[in-house]
Amino acid sequence: IKGIYTRTTDKFVELGERAEISNRENADLFICIHCNSSPGGSAYGIETYAMGISKSEANLNVAKRENASILLEDNYEKNYNGFNPNSPESNIVFTLYQNAFLEQSLSLAAKIQHEVGLAGRYDRGVKQERFLVLWRTTMPSILIETGFLTNPNEEAFMKTQEGQNIIATAIF
């Protein structure tokens, strides 16, 4: 496994750029790891997200526009195995790929949530949401909220080496 970090410091990287880093590196999987917050400080647990279904059509339209640039390349039909961004058939195949990524993303999210439960952490479930960080990835993609920093008990747990190891091992 080769991990590619979108950042290694506490410096903000734009959401779209995080996806682009993965796309440029031809990553097989995109995992975005976050810490959650909630008003009141009583919420707790880990939840994993995949791209919301309603975002799939928008994602496809963006992909169509971006993929049109291959028409400027020499031998694009050979280089991309006959893919033509203006062809309805190619876009049907592309839609199938997107649905496959969504299914793979949801499957991975479910497996992670299962492991989280086995590790003794509260499983808040698998959810779908229109997170921009997941929107433009070209591979199975998930966002994991590892716990709530606004919950003093979870914050203390997540700050410890043991807590971080438990969460990381469950994800792995």
Side-chain angles (χ1 to χ4, degrees):
I1 295 174
K2 176 185 172 191
I4 301 165
Y5 291 94
T6 58
R7 64 179 177 231
T8 57
T9 65
D10 193 20
K11 179 184 173 193
F12 180 76
V13 175
E14 292 181 3
L15 300 179
E17 178 59 18
R18 296 175 199 180
E20 286 305 312
I21 290 168
S22 296
N23 293 340
R24 279 194 303 271
E25 295 290 330
N26 294 312
D28 295 317
L29 180 62
F30 181 84
I31 300 175
C32 191
I33 300 175
H34 286 226
C35 294
N36 216 338
S37 67
S38 176
S42 61
Y44 63 97
I46 299 176
E47 54 197 2
T48 303
Y49 290 87
M51 186 176 65
I53 294 172
S54 62
K55 203 64 164 169
S56 295
E57 183 64 31
N59 197 15
L60 178 61
N61 289 333
V62 168
K64 283 181 188 178
R65 285 193 305 274
E66 291 181 0
N67 287 339
S69 66
I70 70 169
L71 297 174
L72 302 173
E73 298 179 24
D74 293 332
N75 299 320
Y76 75 87
E77 288 141 330
K78 180 182 176 191
N79 294 339
Y80 297 98
N81 296 322
F83 180 82
N84 178 345
N86 294 323
S87 160
E89 293 84 5
S90 289
N91 287 311
I92 289 169
V93 170
F94 195 76
T95 300
L96 293 174
Y97 277 121
Q98 258 199 326
N99 287 337
F101 290 148
L102 180 58
E103 289 172 21
Q104 291 170 348
S105 299
L106 290 170
S107 174
L108 176 62
K111 290 173 182 168
I112 288 172
Q113 286 303 123
H114 176 75
E115 291 298 321
V116 161
L118 292 177
R121 305 304 300 157
Y122 179 68
D123 175 359
R124 293 178 58 91
V126 173
K127 301 173 182 179
Q128 288 184 262
E129 189 56 66
R130 296 174 288 175
F131 289 131
L132 290 175
V133 73
L134 301 177
W135 183 28
R136 291 191 179 182
T137 58
T138 57
M139 72 281 303
S141 304
I142 58 172
L143 183 146
I144 304 167
E145 294 283 5
T146 59
F148 287 80
L149 292 176
T150 50
N151 180 313
N153 293 331
E154 283 212 324
E155 178 187 22
F157 175 78
M158 289 189 294
K159 283 178 146 180
T160 68
Q161 189 66 48
E162 178 187 9
Q164 292 170 20
N165 285 340
I166 288 170
I167 292 168
T169 300
I171 293 169
F172 181 74

